[in-house]
Amino acid sequence: MKIGYSFWGFLGNGVTDTPDGGRSHRRPLIDALLDRGHDIVFLQADRDRFEAGDDLGGRHTFDSGIPEIDVLFLEWRWPIEGRNTTECDAEGHTCDLHRQAELIRRYTAQRRTPTVIWDKDRQLRTDSLWRRTPHVTVCEAALAPTRGAHSLLFPVAGSLIDGADPDALAAQPREIPLGYVGNQYDRDSEFDRFFAPAATRFDHRVAGKWTNTGRWPHVTFVGRIPFADVSRFYGSTLATVLLLPDRYASAGQMTQRLFEAVLAGCLPLAPADIRHVERFVPETLVVGTGSEVIRRIAYLQSIAGTRKHAELIAQCIGRLELFRLSQQIDALEAVLRSVTTTVTAVSTAKQGVV
C-alpha cells in the first residue's frame, strides 16, 4: 500500500529541547513497513532536516501537498494552547494541527480515503465522530484500549531484545540508585507518591522538562538531555519508576520509558494501579506506595551485580516480547487490510453490485 504518514516529531535524534517520545519507536516501525513492501510518504514537515539539520538519506519522502495515497495514517495531534492553536505567523506556532485538519478534510472527509488514527496520547474524545466513521479505524498503544479501538503498542526492534545480555547489564557499575527520564506532563500525583519519597533517601536524578518543581526542593532535576544520551543515563542507573498519567495507567498503556530503561539494564519499578501491570514487570518490581519503592531500591542495591540481579533483568527483558516489532507490524497490517477492505465493500455496495 501507499501510506500517507502524518507525524509531528523526528526520525533521528532530533532537537534536545523538543518533546517527542516517538523517537524511540517511530523509525523502526516505518523501516519495517518499508521492508514489507509498503510505500510511505510523510505528510508533515521534515523536522529532521529543517530543525535538527539531519539528512537521513533517500529512503524517506516528504510531501507538503495532497499526493495520491491508499491509506492515511495519523499519529493523532490535539490542541495545545499557545502552540498549535495560534495563527500560523505567531511566535512559537507549530502547524501540526492545521496540517492534520487539512489532511482529514481532503482525504478522510472528501475522498473517503481509508484512515487509521493512532491515538498515542489518548487525546481523541470517546465521542469523536471518527470513532463512528466506517472508513476510519482508531488504534491505541494500550492493552485495554477504548471500546472499538485496536491495540497497537509502541514497538521494540527484535534485534534489541535479542541482543540484550542480562549478565553484562548486571555487571555494569551503577552509581545512581534512582533515576527518571521523561517530562512532567500530568505526572505530579504519581511523582509525589512514588518518586519523591525515595529521592529523600537515595542519590537520584530526573531528566526532562519539569517546569513546576517548587514542591520538591529535595529532588535533583537536570533538565532535558539529548535523545542519544537516554541509554547512557539508564546505563548508570540501578532503578527507575514508571510514572504514568491516569489515562495511561487505567488502560494499560505503557510508554517507551519501559524498554528504554530495561534495554540499558535499569530495573523498572511499576505502581500496582497500572492496569495489567504484571505483563510489564515481574511481581518483585510492583510497588504500591513510596515506602515500598524505598524498600525495593534497598533490596536491589543488596543484589546489584549478582546472579539474582541478572535474573531480574532477564525477566524484564522477557516482558518486552509484548512490544516486539514484528508482532506490532502484524497488528498494524491487519488493521490496514481491514480498513481498506471495509472501504471497498461499502463502495461496491453503493454501486449496487451487492
Side-chain angles (χ1 to χ4, degrees), residues 10 42-43 56 78 86 89 100 140 145 148 165 195 219 229 233 271-272 286 349:
F10 301 93
F42 299 118
L43 301 174
L56 300 178
W78 63 97
T86 54
D89 58 354
Q100 178 175 274
E140 297 173 3
D165 183 341
F195 195 99
V219 176
D229 290 348
F233 179 104
V286 176

Side-chain angles (χ1 to χ4, degrees), residues 109 111-112 134-135 342-354:
R111 300 186 182 185
R112 299 185 62 80
H135 63 285
T342 297
V343 171
T344 300
V346 171
S347 176
T348 302
K350 285 184 175 182
Q351 295 172 20
V353 177
V354 295

Side-chain angles (χ1 to χ4, degrees), residues 286-302:
V286 176
V287 292
T289 64
S291 297
E292 284 189 27
V293 173
I294 291 171
R295 290 196 293 272
R296 297 299 166 83
I297 294 175
Y299 168 71
L300 296 178
Q301 286 180 311
S302 73

Side-chain angles (χ1 to χ4, degrees), residues 242 254-263 266 268 279-281 316 319-320 323:
L242 300 173
M254 183 54 62
T255 72
Q256 68 279 2
R257 303 306 172 200
L258 173 64
F259 49 83
E260 287 174 349
V262 170
L263 293 172
C266 178
R279 300 187 65 183
F280 299 124
V281 302
C316 291
R319 295 296 201 284
L320 297 185
F323 305 89

Side-chain angles (χ1 to χ4, degrees), residues 189-208:
S189 176
E190 290 72 21
F191 194 83
D192 263 335
R193 291 175 59 198
F194 297 105
F195 195 99
T200 65
R201 300 284 296 273
F202 303 101
D203 287 339
H204 64 276
R205 52 188 176 172
V206 177

